[in-house]
Amino acid sequence: MLHAAFLIPLFPLVGFAVLVVGGRRLGNPLAGWLATAMVGLSFVTTVVVFAGLFERAPGRRSFTQTWWNWFSVDRLHVSAGVLVDPLSMTMALFVTGVSTLIHLYSIGYMEHDEQFPKFFLYLNLFVSSMLLLVLGGNFVMTFLGWEGVGVCSYFLIAFWFDRPSAASAGKKAMIFNRIGDAGFLLAMFLIYERTGSLQYQTVFARLGHVGGDSLVAIALLLFLGATGKSAQLPLYPWLADAMEGPTPVSALIHAATMVTAGVYLMCRISPILHLAPDAGHVIAIIGGATAFVGATIACAQTDIKKILAYSTISQLGYMFMAAGVGAYVAAIFLMLTHAFYKALLFLGAGSVIHAMNDEQNTKVMGGLRALMPITGGTFLVAWLAIGGVPPFAGFWSKGDVLLNAWGYSPALYVLGALTAVLTAYYLGRCYMLVFSGKARWVEARATGDGTSRGHAEPALEADTSNPNVPHERIAAPAGPASHGRLHPHDPGWVMTVPLVVLAFCSVFGGLINLPFHPSFVFLERWLNPVVGRALFNPHLGAGSEIIFAVIDAVLALFGVALAYSLWRTAVYRREVEPTFLERAWFIDWSYDRLLARNSTRMAAFTSAVVESRVIDGAVNGFAVLWRRSGTVLRRVQTGYVRNYALGIMAGLVVLLAWVASRTFS
Amino acid sequence: MTPHLLAATLPDGLTFAIAGVIALVGSLGVVLSRNPVHSALMLIMSLFGVAVLFVEQDAQFLAAVQVIVYAGAIVVLFLFVIMLLGVDRSEAIATEPMPAQRLMAVGLGILALVEIALLSRERWPLGAHSVAGKARGTGHSNVYVLGRSLFTTYLLPFEVTSALLVIAVIGAIVLARRPRTSAGPTEGEAAAAEAGGGPLVDAGELVGSGAPSAERRVEAEEALARAGDRIGEPVGEQEGLTVVRRPEQ
Amino acid sequence: MSVPADFYLTLSAVMFTIGAVGLLVRRNVLVMFMCVELMLNAANLAFITFARELNDVGGQIAVFFVLVVAAAEVVVGLGIIVAIFRRRVGATADDVHVLKG
Amino acid sequence: MILASATGFAVPHIDYTAILPELILIGGSLVLLAAGALNVRHLPTRVYSLLSGATGVAALIAGIVLWQKVHGGGHPLTAVAHSLVIDGFSTAFVILSACIIIVSSAIADGYLRREGIAGPEFHALALLGASGAMLMAAANDFIVIFLGLEIMSIPLYVLAALDQRRAESGEAGMKYFVLGAFSSAIFVYGIALTYGATGSTNLAQIAGYLATNVSTSNGLLLAGAGLLLVGFLFKVAAVPFHMWTPDVYQGAPTPATGFMAAIAKVGGFAALLRVFFSSFHSLEASWQPILWVVAVLTLVTGAVLGLVQRDVKRMLAYSSINHAGFILLGLQAASREGMSASLYYVFVYAFLVLGSFAVITVVGGRGDTSHAIESYRGLARRQPLLGFGFAVLLLAQAGAPFTTGFLGKLYVVEAAVRSHSYALAVIAMLTGAVAAAFYLRVVFVMYSLPAGEAAPAMALADGGALATGTEPAAAVAAPAGESRGGVLVAAPPEAPAGAATGAGGGLRLRAASLGIAPSTLAGIAVTVLFTLALGIWPAPLFSFVHAAGLLF
C-alpha cells in the first residue's frame, strides 16, 4: 500500500496538466469538478498509504520511495522521491483533506469568474507542490515544493491582476519570500558542506560530526526561510496584503496549508534544533512576539479578511513558539486544528463577502445571523474553537502549547496567555460586528457611505465599480438605488458542505491528542518515531495539567465575555481601536517613512540624475537600499567612452598593485 | 651590476638612443598634437623609430613590414579618413571638459608604469630559450627563419588570419554602405540611394523617389530631425530642406 | 655588445603608457585610435626584444600576427568611425553619449 | 610537396576533423557572401538565414562527431602543430557555439525581414564571430587565443554598429570598438610579458615551464597574467571592465545583442578557464583573491544597477553582468567542480540570453525602438505564448526552480561553498535575490493590464497562457511585416463579454500588432524548452558538462 505514495502528488499534477491543455474546453463548472476529483483522489490515496503505515510497527514507520536519480553533483546525489513517515503523512492527510473541501467550495465561489478554469489549474498545481513539499525525501525536493507553492501563491494573490493592489500584493509576497528563500538555500549549502548529503535521514544520522555553531547557523538560516514563508516577524507584512486574492485562496494557502510550511520545516529538522538549543531560543521568542503583535493588530482591523489574516499571523507565531520550545507535537496539533477552524473562518468570511456583494468592511455588516444561519452557526463554532473555549479543538491544542511554554519559560507563557485572551476577543468582535446587532448595510447603502472612516489601505476597500470583481453580475448592480435589493443568504450546497464538515472537525478535532492520560495522546504516540527524541518535556504532573486547563478555559471565556460585552451593541469604540493598532503598529508605515521617504528626499536632491520612478515600487527597505546605491552608482556610467577606458585603466592599476604587493611581501 | 647604456658598443648605443628618442617623441607627439593630421604624422615617426629598433634587434623582415604596412598603409588610411571626415582642424586640447579625467589618466598612467617597472625589476627575460626555434645562428636569413616557422609551427594561426581579412572586408562593406532609411526599399530606391551625393540628401531621397506617401514623409521628417542633431555647414542644411519640400510643391 | 634588453623594455613600457594615457585624455576618436596603435607597437617592441634575448623566433612571429590583426582592426574601426561621423562635424568621442546610466 | 622537400620544410599534419567545425563556419560565411554577391538583392533574406542555420547544423554535427572521438580517447589531442587542443572542454564549447549560431540565425531572420535589411552580411559576420569563439575555446597558444579573440570581436563591433538608422547603434559600435581595441592592446602586452617570462606562447609549454621552474621572483609573469586577465575580464564584462556592456547591449540591434551576449561569454570564459586552469594553475594563490574581488564587484554592480533601469534591454545588460559574476564564482573556486559549474552556467546562460533578447526583438517592434518597460505592459494578455516564454526565461534568470537557471546558480554557489568562500556565496545569493526583483518587475508588468484599457473580457486568459511553445501557435505566429501579424487581443470594451469567449470568434486583430516571424518564435520556443526541460531533467546536460570538465 505504501507504494502508492507517488500517486499522492501525481493526481493534482495530472489535473493541472489536463486543465492546461483543455481547461477552457472543459469550461465552467466541469473544470472545477475535475480539479476537485483529482484532489479527492489524492486524499483517498493518502488515506490508503496512511493506513499502510499505521499497520507497521512504530519503529518501522518510515518508508523512502525513490522515483529516479534527479541529479548528481560530485558527491551529492539528489534523487527525486518521497519520504513516507508519520509526520509527512499527517501533513499530507490534512493538506489533501482541507484542499478537497476548499476545492469544492471554490466551485461555488468562483462560479461567475471568467477565469474559472485557470483558477483551478493554479489550485491543483498548488496542491501538488504542497504535497511535494511535505512528502519530499530531501531538502532539495522540499525546496522545490517550497518554491512551487510560492509561485502558485503569487499567481493566486495576483489572480485578479488587473487590480493594481492585487498585483502589488503579489509582488510584495514574492519579495518577502525571496528573502526567506535565500536563507533556505544557504542553509542547504551549509548542510551539504557539513554532512555531504541532503537526504533527511542521512543528514540527521551525520549530525554528530557537525559543530555546534554550524548547527545554529543552519537552524537559523532555515528559520529565516520559514519566517518568509510563514509570515513571522519581521517578514510578515505580505500576508495581510495577500488577502487581495480570492477568499478560497486565502483559506487554503494563506491560512491552512502553505503558511504552515515553515512550522512543518521546523518539525522536520527537529533533530537539528534539538542539538542547537540557542536557535530554538530565538525561534520561540520570535514566535511568541509574532503571536502577540499579530493578535493586537487583529483587534483593531475593520476588514474581515484582514482580521483573519492577522489572526493567522498570530496563530502561526504560536506554532513557532511551540516548535522553538521543542514541543513539536503541540505545534503539529495546533497546526491541524488551526487548519480546520481558520479555513472555516475564511470560508465563512467568503460566504459573507459573497452575500454582501463584495463588501469586506465589518462596520457596515451586522445582523446576518438570521439571514445566513449556516454561515453564522459555523462561524460561531470557529470563533469558540480558535478562542480556546472547551471542549472545542482549539482549547486542547492551545492548551498543549501553553503548557509547554510554561515549562520552558514563564515569560513565554504570559505572552501566550495574553495572546489567547486577545484571540478570543478579536474574533468575538468580528463575529458580533458581522452577525449580530442591526443590519447596518441597509442604512450604509442608503447614505452611500459604503466604506466608513479612515481606512489604512484604500486599495482593500470594496470597489464595486470595478467590473473585474467577480459576482458583479449575479447581484444587483451597485449604486445607491440598488441597496434595497441586496438579499444576503446562505450559499448553495457546494459551499455549505465544506463549512459543515470543517465545523465538525473544529469541534472534535481535539480528540486526536487529549491530555491527562498517556493513552489519549494519539498524535504524540503517532509522531513519536519522528520527533520523539527531540521532544521537550515540561515535567508537569497530571494535577498541574488540570490546573492549567482550567486557567486556559477561564482566559478563553474572559476573552469571549469581553467581546460580547463590548461589541454586542456598539459599532464604534475608538478607545479599543487605537490607530496605532489599526495601522499595524506602524510597521509598514515606518518601512515606508524611514526608508522610502529618505530616498525621496535624496531623489529630489539629485534630480538631475534620479527620476521619480526610481522609488517606484519601493515597498520595503531592502529594495530601497539597493535601489539607492543603484542611483548613486549609475552616475559612474556617464556615457563618455573615455570614462569607461579610465575604469579599465583603474582596474588594471589596482590589479597590478595587488600583484606587486604579493611579489614584494 | 646594473646594465648600462655605455656598456654597449658605441654604434649600437647611439642607434638605440637616436631611434628611441625618435619613437618617444613620436609617441608624445601623437598624444600632444592639436591637429589630428600632425598626430598621424607623429605616429609615422614613432613607427619609424620602432622599425629602426627592430633592425637593431635582428628583426629585419618585421622592420620592413612595419614600414610598409603600418606607416605605408595603416597611417595613410588614417589620413584618408581624417580628410574624408574633414576633421583636419586643430582641436582645443588645452581645455578639458572633464578635468578630473585628465588628472586621473595621467596619475593612473604613471602608476601603471611604475608597477610594470617594479614587477620586472630583475632581469627582464626569464623564460626558456629557443622554444619555438632559434632566431639567430641557424645559418639562414631572418626571412627564411620566419617563413619556415610560419608554415610549420604557426601554420594554423597563419591560415586563420584569412578569416580576419574576410571580416575586415565584410565590415568595411557593411559600414560604408549608405544606410537604407525605410524597411524593404524597392530596387529603384536602393539604386537612388547608392547614387546619392552629400550626406544630408538621404532625408530627401526618401521623399523624392518612389511614390510620396504620408508614411514616407513622416520617415523623411524623422530622418531630417535626426540629421538636425549634426547640422554641419549651413549649405548642407539648406540643401536638405529644399529637397524635403519637393513633394509639397 | 648590443644595448641591454632593459632599455628596450623600459622604452616599450613608456610607449605603452603614453598610448594608454593618450587614449584617456584625447577627445578625437581618431587620435584615440592612434594611441591604441601606439600601445600595440609598444607590445611589438617588447616581443622583438624578448625574442632577441631568448633567441627565439616565436616573438617575431607574434609581432607578425599583431600587425595583421592591427590592420584588420584599423579597417573595421575606421569604417565604424566613418559611419558615425560622416554626418557630424568633428570626430569627438565625447559628443557621442546618448547611452548612459 | 616538391617544393616542401626541396626546401626541407616538413608541413605539419593537419587533422581536418579537428578543425572541421571552424572550417564549416568560415566556409559557410564565404558561401553566404558568394551567394549574396552573385545574386545582388534577388535572394530573399530567409534563404540566407536558412543557409546560416544549415551551416550551424553542419558545425553541430561535426562537433558531435568530434565529441564522440575525444570522449573515447584518454588524453587530449593536439592538432595542427600543437596550435589547438581537442578535448572535451573545447568540444563542448564548439557544440555550444554551433547551437548559438542555429538559434541566433532563426531569431535574426525575423528581425532582418522586419527591418528590411537585405543581404548576407549579418549572418556571415555571426558565423565568423562564432568560429572565433570556437578557436578561443580550442586554442593551445596565446597567439591563437588572440586571433580567435579578434575574429570573435571584430564581427561583434560591426554587428553592434549595423543598424545605421539609429544613432545609438553607431554609438554602441564605436564604444565597443574603442574599448575593445584598448583591451586588446592590453591583452597583447600581457602576452608579450608572459612570453618574456616563460619563453613561449604555447599554453602547454608555459604550463610545463612553470611546473619545472620555480622562480623566486616571478613579477614579470604575474604582470603578464594580470594584463591577460584584464583582457579576458573585459570580454566577459566583469566589473570594473564592464562599462561598455550596458551601452553596447542597449545600442546594438537586438538580435545582435543576444548573439553578442552569448558568444562573447562563451569565447571569453572558454579561454579564461583554460588559461587560468591549465597554464597559470601554479599562480592560483595570486589570481584567486583577484577573482574574489572582481566577482563580488560584478555581482553587486550588476544587481544594483539593473534595479534602477527602465529600459529592458539595458536591464538585461546589467543582468548579464550579474550572471558573469556567478560564472566567475565557479572560476574563483579554482576546483574541478568549479570549472564544471562555470561551464554549466555558460551553457545555460547562452540559451537564456538568446531567448530573452529574441523576445525583446519581437517587442521592440519596427525600428527596434520600444524597449521601455512600459512596452511590456499587458504583453502576456496580448501574446500569451510570448509572455509565458519570456516569463520562463526571466524566472530562470532569477533562479527559479524547475529551470536551468536555478541549477546553474546552485552549482556555482555550491562550488564556492566547497572552496570555503562562504562570504562570496552569501553575497552571490543576496545579489541573486536583488536581481530577481527586476526580473519579476518585468513579469509583473507583462501580466498587468495595459494602461488606459478598461479591463475588457479576456479571451485568452485561461490555461492557454501556460501552454508551452509546442502548442499549436497558429493564431500567434504569422509572417512579419503584414498587418495580420497575428495578435489576439481582447475584445473591444463595447463588445459583449460573451462574444469574446469563442475561440477565434469575435477577436479582432489590432492594427499596431507585433508581428512574430515563425522562425523567431521557433527560436524562442527552443530556448524555453531547453530551459524547462533541462531544468526538470538536468541529468543529461550535467553529465555532458561533467564529462567535458573531466576531459580537460
Side-chain angles (χ1 to χ4, degrees), chain A residues 24 70 72-74 118 121 144 147 154 161 185 189 192-193 468 626 630 634 637 639 644 652 658-659, chain D residues 175 222 227 243 247 286 290 304 381 401 411 413-414 418 422 429 434 444 447 455 461-462 466 536 542:
Chain A
R24 202 162 12 128
W70 193 30
S72 305
V73 191
D74 193 44
K118 194 168 153 194
L121 166 159
L144 285 182
E147 289 286 303
Y154 146 58
F161 55 80
L185 265 180
F189 291 130
Y192 170 60
E193 219 278 315
N468 271 296
W626 285 92
R634 76 187 295 187
Q637 193 82 19
Y644 296 179
L652 172 72
W658 154 258
V659 167
Chain D
K175 282 180 173 168
L222 282 172
L227 295 176
M243 285 162 114
D247 291 9
S286 294
I290 297 174
V304 168
R381 301 206 129 187
Y411 291 144
V413 172
E414 194 251 328
R418 290 286 300 282
Y422 300 115
M429 298 304 305
V434 172
F444 274 100
Y447 278 90
D462 84 337
L466 274 151
I536 295 165
F542 194 75

Side-chain angles (χ1 to χ4, degrees), chain A residues 211-231:
Chain A
D213 290 348
S214 303
L215 285 176
V216 173
I218 290 169
L220 287 180
L221 283 171
L222 285 173
F223 178 59
L224 178 65
T227 47
K229 189 74 46 190
S230 296

Side-chain angles (χ1 to χ4, degrees), chain A residues 16 19-25 68-76 114-115 117-118 121-122 132 140 143-145 147-148 151 154-155 158-159 161-162 166-168 170-172 174-175 178-179 181-182 185-186 188-190 192-194 466-468 611 613-614 616 622-623 626-652 655-656 658-659 662-664, chain D residues 171 174-175 178-179 182-183 186 217-219 222-223 226-227 229-230 233-234 240-244 246-247 285-286 289-290 300-301 303-305 307-310 314 318 337 373-374 381 395 398-402 406-407 409-411 413-414 417-418 420 422 425-426 429-434 436 440-441 443-444 447-449 454-455 457 459-464 466-467 471 497 501 503 535-539 542 546:
Chain A
F16 164 75
L19 289 175
V20 164
V21 176
R24 202 162 12 128
R25 239 160 290 145
W68 69 79
N69 228 352
W70 193 30
F71 61 88
S72 305
V73 191
D74 193 44
R75 286 182 298 145
L76 174 64
E114 276 122 15
Q115 306 180 358
K118 194 168 153 194
L121 166 159
Y122 287 143
L132 215 57
V140 180
F143 184 69
L144 285 182
E147 289 286 303
V151 169
Y154 146 58
F155 276 125
F159 187 70
F161 55 80
D162 22 35
S168 105
K171 181 150 60 171
K172 199 165 177 177
M174 203 71 169
I175 289 171
R178 286 302 302 190
I179 299 173
D181 293 347
L185 265 180
L186 286 172
M188 281 208 304
F189 291 130
L190 203 56
Y192 170 60
E193 219 278 315
R194 293 289 183 233
N466 186 341
N468 271 296
E611 305 136 286
R613 281 292 300 244
V614 164
D616 149 57
F622 189 67
W626 285 92
R627 242 159 216 277
R628 198 151 66 172
S629 38
T631 53
V632 175
L633 262 178
R634 76 187 295 187
R635 276 186 291 178
V636 178
Q637 193 82 19
T638 51
Y640 292 102
V641 69
R642 293 191 293 147
N643 277 162
Y644 296 179
L646 193 72
I648 296 176
M649 193 72 181
L652 172 72
L655 200 152
L656 286 181
W658 154 258
V659 167
R662 276 189 61 83
T663 316
F664 300 118
Chain D
E171 180 178 341
M174 187 205 73
K175 282 180 173 168
V178 170
L179 295 172
F182 184 53
S183 81
I186 294 174
S217 167
N218 52 3
L222 282 172
L227 295 176
L229 192 59
V230 171
L233 291 179
F234 174 86
F241 315 105
H242 70 291
M243 285 162 114
W244 58 277
D247 291 9
S286 294
I290 297 174
V300 172
T301 306
V304 168
L305 283 174
L307 212 55
V308 291
Q309 301 304 327
R310 292 172 63 195
R314 201 172 178 81
Y318 281 110
E337 302 86 58
I373 193 162
E374 281 75 26
R381 301 206 129 187
L395 288 174
F402 292 117
F406 165 73
L407 294 163
K409 285 196 166 57
L410 183 75
Y411 291 144
V413 172
E414 194 251 328
V417 169
R418 290 286 300 282
H420 305 287
Y422 300 115
V426 172
M429 298 304 305
L430 278 177
T431 63
V434 172
L440 288 175
R441 187 165 63 156
V443 176
F444 274 100
Y447 278 90
S448 60
L449 260 198
L460 294 168
D462 84 337
L466 274 151
E471 272 269 280
T501 46
I536 295 165
W537 176 245
F542 194 75
H546 199 59

Side-chain angles (χ1 to χ4, degrees), chain D residues 96 241 390:
Chain D
L96 178 58
F241 315 105
F390 200 31

Side-chain angles (χ1 to χ4, degrees), chain B residues 48-73:
Chain B
F48 265 105
V50 173
V52 173
L53 296 178
F54 280 10
V55 177
E56 180 65 21
Q57 300 194 75
D58 307 312
Q60 294 86 357
F61 176 70
L62 288 167
V65 173
Q66 171 100 341
V67 171
I68 296 168
V69 173
Y70 241 126

